[in-house]
Amino acid sequence: MSVEQRLITRGALGSIPARTSHLGQAVFQVPLYRNQEKLYHARRPHKKSRGGCLTCKKRRVKCDEGKPACVKCQKYGASCSYSTAPGKGFNADVAASTQNPDGITFSFSLSDLATRIEEILNLDTGTNTSLIERNSVHPVSLIAFQHFLKSSTDTVANPSLRDVMRSDMIRVALTSPHLMYTILAVGVLHLNRISPGNKTRQFAETLFWQRAIKLYQAALTSNVTPQNVDALLSTCMFMGLTTLCPENIKPTDSWVLSDKPDAMNWLCLQSGIRCIITLAKPYLDSTIWASTFQEAHEDEVAFLEHIIKQGRDGLDPDLADLCGIDDSTTAKTNPYYEHLRLLTGLFELERNFENSAKCTSFMGKLTTDFLALLRRRDPPALVILAQWMGLMCTMSHWQPWIFGRLVTECIAICMYLEHDPDPRISRLLEFPASACGYSSRNSSKST
């Protein structure tokens, strides 16, 4: 079975079911808040202005020809120009203009939704970036957006996280180009791994990630504020996905078996959210993620309460010996201890969809010291990581993305350590090797 076939998820090949409005238009719904009552409907089709501002002409949208700045440009913070008239920047006023409506959903016709998406993207380039597949009436951006909401978010095990991604985060994306590009990149990446070979979508994936990364890096040069914190946190949560799900990766591409200086970046990127959360700490209580983060924190505290903070009790004896752990060892005295204790606790969990999310969080908790050990190909650190990767392989039913990177990296570690003379390492590699499907006799096939 190919990597792409293994990535197929529930509903991944389906499209978002559309309902029909009283206007006879197909309507795509984006849920917002549970306590809202009024319903906002799509407007009727209209002809484009021929005498509007230059910005609206470039975006190919109707302009009300207001002066000194038209309504469209004011709404999206774009520079409105009939000749050389200056306009406003993309700032907090934009977010204020799209505050939560009082309805339970936004209802857009598919064409109107596509226009909204393209308007946000065009704020970045000032030109039309629409890509349309052959034999398709909708742009790739709309297809990717729909797929993200309908299928990509289904792979998120945490229900609270999933709900925010499908609601508040979409509202934020409608005012943030770097977040919108990120959402589109995730959606089209997922589509490309499920159904590879579509050149238009492959180009779109590269384009969307390129723009998302560039704009995100630019956004990080500014201070974190109440106005941009939601977009920065949301984008950061997805930024590492492109490195977790690369196409055509081989074990020899791993940092363990190569001398590529950036080959381990995929793992270092997974800790990025901790840095953003630290910077955003003054505003966390008011972000769209506040309740989700609080819930996750409480769940983690409850989980960690049952993990012993000192000594080797409960640890695999060979792994404890390999890492130099005795009865007095703590996280402060040993760089392996914190990760090994956490890993031991994860192995004790029942293997199901909900707990698979807890196991996934392991790579985001790797300390700088432990990452340095991995970069030096330190055997005990590699064994700990391989054990976790093996655990994730057993949860591929709920976390199919692991076939993009983790299986291959686990094979690479097994290949690197399989001839180590320490018999403890050979025994400790049996589980991860079995979980990822590696055996020394097929190493030539794996490469």
Side-chain angles (χ1 to χ4, degrees):
M1 182 180 292
S2 69
V3 169
E4 290 82 6
Q5 288 172 321
R6 287 171 174 174
L7 275 168
I8 294 177
T9 59
R10 297 188 301 268
L13 295 179
S15 60
I16 292 182
R19 65 176 178 83
T20 302
S21 73
H22 66 282
L23 298 176
Q25 295 174 299
V27 173
F28 172 70
Q29 294 187 324
V30 181
L32 285 177
Y33 300 93
R34 296 183 179 87
N35 62 345
Q36 297 167 341
E37 300 175 355
K38 189 177 176 182
L39 187 66
Y40 286 72
H41 291 286
R43 56 193 177 129
R44 294 179 181 274
H46 60 276
K47 293 183 179 180
K48 296 175 183 175
S49 169
R50 296 186 182 277
C53 72
L54 298 179
T55 305
C56 285
K57 285 182 179 179
K58 285 182 178 180
R59 299 204 310 262
R60 299 182 184 180
V61 297
K62 183 178 176 61
C63 180
D64 69 301
E65 302 180 34
K67 305 236 180 121
C70 72
V71 172
K72 286 281 187 184
C73 289
Q74 290 184 66
K75 183 175 182 181
Y76 292 106
S79 176
C80 184
S81 174
Y82 291 90
S83 55
T84 58
K88 293 198 306 179
F90 192 85
N91 53 33
D93 293 337
V94 180
S97 71
T98 54
Q99 287 300 308
N100 324 343
D102 295 327
I104 194 169
T105 61
F106 276 135
S107 293
F108 301 119
S109 67
L110 290 177
S111 60
D112 204 33
L113 179 61
T115 299
R116 289 292 298 271
I117 293 172
E118 292 303 321
E119 285 175 347
I120 295 301
L121 303 188
N122 292 342
L123 289 177
D124 160 41
T125 62
T127 59
N128 191 292
T129 58
S130 179
L131 296 171
I132 299 180
E133 299 178 57
R134 183 179 298 178
N135 301 322
S136 175
V137 296
H138 300 302
V140 175
S141 56
L142 178 60
I143 294 171
F145 186 83
Q146 287 181 290
H147 187 82
F148 173 85
L149 284 179
K150 177 63 177 178
S151 299
S152 301
T153 53
D154 277 347
T155 66
V156 178
N158 185 314
S160 176
L161 194 69
R162 190 166 59 242
D163 288 345
V164 176
M165 287 178 180
R166 289 172 171 170
S167 55
D168 294 287
M169 192 179 78
I170 299 303
R171 172 179 58 81
V172 174
L174 290 173
T175 65
S176 170
H178 68 76
L179 178 55
M180 179 59 77
Y181 269 118
T182 301
I183 288 172
L184 300 184
V186 172
V188 78
L189 179 150
H190 194 186
L191 274 170
N192 285 341
R193 301 305 179 269
I194 291 168
S195 181
N198 186 308
K199 294 190 179 300
T200 302
R201 289 181 183 175
Q202 288 173 343
F203 175 76
E205 181 184 336
T206 301
L207 174 65
F208 293 157
W209 278 121
Q210 179 189 61
R211 299 309 305 160
I213 292 170
K214 182 175 181 179
L215 293 171
Y216 179 58
Q217 289 175 333
L220 288 175
T221 62
S222 303
N223 292 330
V224 178
T225 67
Q227 288 73 37
N228 66 18
V229 64
D230 287 329
L232 290 175
L233 284 171
S234 301
T235 298
C236 185
M237 292 170 69
F238 293 103
M239 262 300 149
L241 190 60
T242 181
T243 59
L244 280 175
C245 300
E247 288 187 292
N248 305 318
I249 185 175
K250 305 181 296 297
T252 49
D253 294 325
S254 170
W255 91 94
V256 180
L257 299 178
S258 76
D259 294 322
K260 299 175 183 177
D262 60 346
M264 196 177 141
N265 286 357
W266 70 271
L267 190 56
C268 299
L269 281 172
Q270 308 313 313
S271 301
I273 188 65
R274 289 187 303 179
C275 299
I276 296 297
I277 287 177
T278 300
L279 293 173
K281 190 173 182 179
Y283 315 114
L284 284 181
D285 289 343
S286 61
T287 70
I288 60 174
W289 302 104
S291 60
T292 299
F293 286 171
Q294 181 62 31
E295 180 182 310
H297 175 69
E298 293 172 356
D299 191 37
E300 181 177 0
V301 168
F303 170 67
L304 294 176
E305 281 180 353
H306 301 288
I307 295 179
I308 297 174
K309 304 297 188 297
Q310 179 176 319
R312 54 187 286 144
D313 185 37
L315 299 179
D316 182 289
D318 282 347
L319 195 48
D321 289 342
L322 187 67
C323 295
I325 294 173
D326 58 30
D327 291 335
S328 63
T329 301
T330 67
K332 292 183 178 180
T333 62
N334 186 293
Y336 309 106
Y337 193 80
E338 180 179 353
H339 306 84
L340 187 50
R341 274 296 179 195
L342 178 59
L343 181 66
T344 302
L346 294 176
F347 266 93
E348 294 173 354
L349 295 174
E350 179 183 352
R351 295 180 189 177
N352 54 37
F353 186 44
E354 181 180 355
N355 286 335
S356 69
K358 290 187 179 69
C359 294
T360 298
S361 66
F362 177 83
M363 60 181 168
K365 293 181 170 61
L366 300 182
T367 63
T368 302
D369 289 342
F370 192 79
L371 288 170
L373 291 170
L374 290 173
R375 195 175 292 279
R376 297 199 298 268
R377 302 180 180 90
D378 175 72
L382 289 176
V383 169
I384 291 173
L385 187 64
Q387 289 277 327
W388 171 73
M389 289 176 172
L391 176 63
M392 290 305 304
C393 288
T394 66
M395 297 188 174
S396 60
H397 177 72
W398 302 288
Q399 300 291 334
W401 56 266
I402 67 104
F403 287 103
R405 169 74 74 172
L406 296 195
V407 169
T408 306
E409 294 284 355
C410 190
I411 291 174
I413 293 175
C414 291
M415 292 172 64
Y416 181 77
L417 294 177
E418 65 180 339
H419 299 301
D420 193 289
D422 192 327
R424 296 171 299 186
I425 290 181
S426 296
R427 186 189 72 77
L428 291 167
L429 285 179
E430 290 177 1
F431 166 70
S434 174
C436 71
Y438 174 76
S439 63
S440 58
R441 63 176 176 273
N442 65 13
S443 60
S444 61
K445 297 180 182 179
S446 299
T447 57

